[in-house]
Amino acid sequence: MVKAVVLGAAGGIGQPLSLLLKACPLVDELSLFDVVNTPGVTADLSHISSIAKITGYLPADDGMKKTLTGADVVVIPAGIPRKPGMTRDDLFKINAGIVRDLVQGIAENCPKAFILVISNPVNSTVPIAAEVMKKAGKFDPKRLFGVTTLDVVRAETFVQDITGEKDPSKTVIPVIGGHSGETIVPLFSLAKPKVNIPADKLAPLIKRVQFGGDEVVEAKGGAGSATLSMAYAGFRFAEKIMKAMKGEKGIVEPTYVYLPGVTGGDAIAKETGVDYFSVPVELGPSGAEKANNILSELDDNEKKLLEACTKGLKDNIEKGVDFVHNPPPK
Ligand SMILES: NC(=O)c1ccc[n+]([C@@H]2O[C@H](COP(=O)([O-])OP(=O)(O)OC[C@H]3O[C@@H](n4cnc5c(N)ncnc54)[C@H](O)[C@@H]3O)[C@@H](O)[C@H]2O)c1
Ligand SMILES: O=C(O)C[C@H](O)C(=O)O
């Protein structure tokens, strides 16, 4: 039996993500939570003739507790999205508190659930989630994931313009680091199968992956950021987590984790100088079972990208950790 939960389920990501989870045969029960419109979204999805039994709650009448009790997988796309001209860090002021309070709910009601954080800035919201769980004495680093799958999906898609591969998902491209601008490091040199990218096309390709989010924010002209591609990516990652939970072997996916708490992560933390980092992680029934250290395989250009990445990440991580221990006055 798998109970999946979406926190922020009535939003631009929340709705299509909930649809994909409702239609997924791996989900036995789906519970939705949002501060607005959850009853409507739940009623709508409840007419779909799939296996998952669905419930949905607003905060009133212990709604969060009812949503989270018994949850195995909790996906969090709650929070405000960017508008043109904003950075993801500009979202911190509002989203940090939202993520902190939702994760507190997880600590109280389903501390063993796998937590998948989508809310931006991911580089900081994942450390916030970890500190909240630590404070509650419930932190299991193997069960906390920053969802960076959209960067992987973008790398697969954009490289297709160059390779002409008909099915973009057939090319596996690791993307490491964090989830914003220069902290996103796509590793095209490690693509499997190998891809040949002409020298003049590589830099623009890397930049497009790093700033793919801006492309959507600009195109939406103030109406938000990526929602549909994110729902696809979030579902893809959640599905892998559920398959791994059920014992499927050989599932490896880049995700932003607390390195010192994952086997193999210590060496990566030492090498990069950061405790939170996205690397290909082997997933299993207990969650993040092994962080794969591929840093020695990077080419010279990717090593330079990595330097810029870790510089930016350090501040983002500290900001998240500090927020939980020294919250700003209300
Ligand atoms: N990780 C990624 O790759 C990635 C990709 C795209 C977007 N995002 C981020 O995801 C977040 C959501 O984006 P969106 O486009 O769905 O935004 P949205 O505004 O459309 O939806 C957010 C939803 O969260 C709800 N919400 C707000 N506070 C809440 C709370 N305390 N409890 C429960 N629900 C709450 C809102 O009511 C709303 O329905 C943003 O922070 C965005 O930057 C991350
Ligand atoms: O760009 C954003 O703000 C949303 C998201 O992080 C993305 O990469 O699309």
Side-chain angles (χ1 to χ4, degrees):
M1 288 286 286
V2 171
K3 176 174 174 177
V5 161
V6 181
L7 304 177
I13 297 167
Q15 291 202 35
L17 176 61
S18 300
L19 168 62
L20 292 167
L21 288 166
K22 175 71 176 93
C24 173
L26 298 170
V27 180
D28 301 289
E29 192 181 341
L30 176 63
S31 197
L32 311 182
F33 180 80
D34 201 300
V35 290
V36 290
N37 298 336
T38 338
V41 174
T42 309
D44 191 354
L45 290 174
S46 74
H47 290 195
I48 294 172
S49 56
S50 61
I51 295 166
K53 176 179 160 288
I54 186 163
T55 53
Y57 301 95
L58 292 164
D61 303 323
D62 261 343
M64 203 197 307
K65 185 183 172 76
K66 287 176 186 154
T67 309
L68 289 170
T69 301
D72 301 293
V73 180
V74 181
V75 194
I76 313 182
I80 58 161
R82 284 197 290 162
K83 286 186 169 35
M86 290 172 81
T87 66
R88 290 180 185 79
D89 190 50
D90 293 334
L91 305 173
F92 185 95
K93 232 176 158 183
I94 292 178
N95 291 354
I98 293 176
V99 171
R100 175 196 56 202
D101 297 348
L102 292 173
V103 175
Q104 183 61 37
I106 294 171
E108 287 165 16
N109 297 295
C110 55
K112 296 232 171 299
F114 293 98
I115 307 170
L116 281 55
V117 181
I118 292 174
S119 315
N120 269 318
V122 166
N123 293 357
S124 306
T125 51
V126 173
I128 288 173
E131 291 305 315
V132 171
M133 293 301 279
K134 278 185 203 170
K135 254 185 146 177
K138 310 277 186 194
F139 184 44
D140 179 352
K142 292 165 85 176
R143 291 172 183 264
L144 174 64
F145 307 91
V147 183
T148 53
T149 320
L150 184 53
D151 304 319
V152 176
V153 169
R154 284 182 176 136
E156 290 168 0
T157 309
F158 300 160
V159 80
Q160 182 203 26
D161 291 345
I162 294 165
T163 60
E165 167 65 61
K166 280 213 176 65
D167 180 353
S169 71
K170 290 255 161 19
T171 312
V172 178
I173 300 148
V175 182
I176 63 171
H179 176 69
S180 72
E182 286 191 339
T183 70
I184 300 169
V185 182
L187 303 175
F188 288 104
S189 78
L190 301 184
K192 284 198 182 106
K194 247 189 150 12
V195 289
N196 281 318
I197 301 167
D200 62 324
K201 296 213 162 130
L202 182 61
L205 176 63
I206 290 170
K207 197 146 196 133
R208 192 169 177 212
V209 175
Q210 292 183 316
F211 294 90
D214 300 59
E215 208 176 285
V216 182
V217 169
E218 294 301 324
K220 290 197 174 182
S225 55
T227 54
L228 302 171
S229 51
M230 183 58 233
Y232 169 84
F235 174 72
R236 175 164 137 172
F237 187 69
E239 190 184 33
K240 291 202 170 166
I241 289 280
M242 290 188 286
K243 284 183 174 169
M245 265 172 70
K246 290 181 180 240
E248 191 172 316
K249 301 262 180 268
I251 301 181
V252 180
E253 192 67 25
T255 172
Y256 186 72
V257 291
Y258 178 65
L259 291 170
V262 179
T263 304
D266 259 337
I268 305 171
K270 267 199 197 108
E271 217 169 318
T272 56
V274 290
D275 279 351
Y276 292 86
F277 199 76
S278 190
V279 275
V281 167
E282 293 178 22
L283 301 172
S286 62
E289 300 203 328
K290 186 166 174 281
N292 287 343
N293 191 349
I294 52 173
L295 298 181
S296 64
E297 298 168 45
L298 272 53
D299 67 20
D300 288 345
N301 182 47
E302 290 163 349
K303 281 183 187 147
K304 274 195 207 126
L305 295 174
L306 183 63
E307 266 174 44
C309 156
T310 51
K311 256 192 221 146
L313 259 185
K314 269 188 195 134
D315 288 347
N316 295 161
I317 293 167
E318 271 172 32
K319 191 169 170 179
V321 172
D322 189 53
F323 177 80
V324 176
H325 298 285
N326 304 299
K330 281 193 182 161

